[in-house]
Amino acid sequence: MLLVSTELGLYCEAGGFYVDPHGAVERAIITHAHADHARRGSARYLTAAAGEALLRARLGGGVIETLRYGERRRVGDVDVSLHPAGHVLGSSQARLEHRGEVWVVTGDFKRQADPTCAPFEPLAAHTLVIESTFGLPIFRWPAAERAVGEISAWWRACAEAGQTAVLYAYALGKAQRLLASLPRDLGPIYTHGAVERLCAVYRGQLPEHTLPPTQVAVGLARDAKTDGALVIAPPSAHGSPWLRRFGAISTGFASGWMRVRGMRRRRAIDRGFVISDHADWPALLDTVQQSGTERVVVTHGYVEVLARWLREQGREALVARTAFVGEVEEPEGADEADDGAE
Ligand SMILES: [Zn+2]
Ligand SMILES: [Zn+2]
């Protein structure tokens, strides 16, 4: 086995490195900058060049080396290359080759288009280590354009009703994807500080005007008029005093979890919009199929369900216990406490 599951996560003995370790190690390959994949304290990091700025913003220390997508580097006895995962800016799949045997770790990925990152690149592998955050047959995403259309219509309706539309979205990735996708003529856009900090990193990496102008809401006077505006905030802002500055609000949440009946009501959120930065069930199966893989290792989320389904299709499927948690709050950069895994 080129990669084994350890307490610190996926370890490659032949290469002397971990992929997205759960703690501090000598050498870490990092697929992307989300908190459960990029942890502080390791001595050396290797990540995709497109994700370096986000990783630096996250880590605060450590030596970060980079590879361009597709560039190969020998690490120990292993040829390593990183390929676009389509998840968030700079996210990658790790391709590991050792004595003719190829392993691919998808990291978090999606197959839908995203104007803020390079599209997922299908790779062939003998063994595919795949995430299954949304590995249940109920998870099927409508086209992203549909969610964007629904958000736009809701924003317009809020404006007509004299309300401020407060949209909750994960601060790293989802917020910027939505900003890049929404129409620009509907009204001003305000951001929570945690969202704005990451927007600043995105703006430094993406072509100008990929993201619309935004204003950080922290400077708003208590009696500022924001009706007709859209506010983008991390989900942890929900129910917090931070919202008081906006007067009459309507709340929405953009997440794959909005596909689950009752999730929106339980959180007392007015509107749910189904849009995710992870692969849905059909995309997981397609990705396994396209890789031509002999063996699948499932991590992250509904591992048993996907592994069982693959076995029933006659594939070898193993489960790796990892500490990845899926779409969660971004604890760093957010001013509020972590909601934890959903
Ligand atoms: Zn992620
Ligand atoms: Zn993840």
Side-chain angles (χ1 to χ4, degrees):
M1 300 285 268
L2 193 51
L3 283 169
V4 292
S5 185
T6 72
E7 243 166 53
L8 280 169
L10 297 170
Y11 177 62
C12 178
E13 194 178 0
F17 57 80
Y18 289 81
V19 180
D20 294 348
H22 307 323
V25 300
E26 257 323 290
R27 191 155 195 149
I29 292 177
I30 303 294
T31 62
H32 66 290
H34 274 149
D36 56 326
H37 293 259
R39 295 182 194 266
R40 290 168 187 241
S42 290
R44 294 171 77 185
Y45 296 91
L46 182 63
T47 200
E52 182 186 4
L54 279 174
L55 188 58
R56 268 192 206 289
R58 166 77 67 211
L59 294 179
V63 176
I64 302 177
E65 297 170 288
T66 63
L67 289 176
R68 291 185 308 277
Y69 286 133
E71 181 185 353
R72 280 193 175 212
R73 178 172 310 177
R74 187 96 171 161
V75 183
D77 284 331
V78 176
D79 284 318
V80 175
S81 56
L82 302 173
H83 304 261
H87 175 56
V88 296
L89 176 66
S91 64
S92 62
Q93 310 172 71
R95 183 186 184 278
L96 315 175
E97 185 169 347
H98 178 62
R99 296 183 185 151
E101 193 189 345
V102 176
W103 284 54
V104 168
V105 180
T106 65
D108 292 351
F109 75 100
K110 72 170 172 290
R111 305 297 298 263
Q112 283 186 340
D114 179 336
T116 64
C117 65
F120 178 90
E121 179 187 332
L123 297 169
H126 296 112
T127 302
L128 182 70
V129 182
I130 194 168
E131 66 125 328
S132 65
T133 304
F134 289 104
L136 289 180
I138 59 155
F139 291 114
R140 286 161 203 270
W141 310 146
E145 295 73 32
R146 188 165 129 193
V148 168
E150 288 171 1
I151 293 168
S152 308
W154 163 69
W155 180 3
R156 256 185 226 107
C158 289
E160 278 161 24
Q163 294 171 319
T164 303
V166 177
L167 181 62
Y168 302 120
Y170 298 107
L172 196 173
K174 186 71 60 62
Q176 293 76 25
R177 181 185 182 192
L178 292 170
L179 281 168
S181 306
L182 285 164
R184 306 203 168 180
D185 54 357
L186 294 184
I189 302 174
Y190 295 98
T191 49
H192 185 278
V195 171
E196 191 60 36
R197 272 192 288 282
L198 290 160
C199 286
V201 180
Y202 269 71
R203 285 195 175 96
Q205 304 292 307
L206 295 171
E208 222 185 325
H209 308 306
T210 306
L211 299 187
T214 54
Q215 250 177 286
V216 64
V218 73
L220 277 175
R222 287 272 157 181
D223 55 354
K225 293 280 287 170
T226 59
D227 54 300
L230 177 73
V231 177
I232 300 200
S236 54
H238 186 50
S240 76
W242 181 83
L243 291 172
R244 282 189 206 133
R245 69 194 77 205
F246 302 117
I249 61 170
S250 174
T251 54
F253 191 7
S255 167
W257 296 113
M258 293 299 105
R259 181 69 185 75
V260 180
R261 205 181 292 272
M263 195 74 95
R264 177 185 62 77
R265 264 197 324 276
R266 252 196 328 275
R267 293 173 150 244
I269 286 167
D270 300 320
R271 294 291 305 274
F273 306 103
V274 180
I275 182 167
S276 176
D277 285 334
H278 291 266
D280 64 359
W281 177 256
L284 290 172
L285 301 183
D286 285 351
T287 302
V288 169
Q289 181 70 31
Q290 285 173 9
S291 72
T293 190
E294 293 155 11
R295 179 166 56 198
V296 184
V297 179
V298 186
T299 87
H300 216 296
Y302 297 97
V303 289
E304 299 292 355
V305 178
L306 181 59
R308 195 184 327 125
W309 198 94
L310 292 169
R311 278 184 218 120
E312 282 166 12
Q313 305 303 307
R315 289 184 192 276
E316 184 184 352
L318 311 171
V319 162
R321 293 275 157 222
T322 53
F324 302 130
V325 285
E327 284 198 359
V328 294
E329 283 305 286
E330 287 298 310
E332 291 158 67
D335 299 322
E336 301 79 10
D338 186 2
D339 271 353
E342 302 198 342

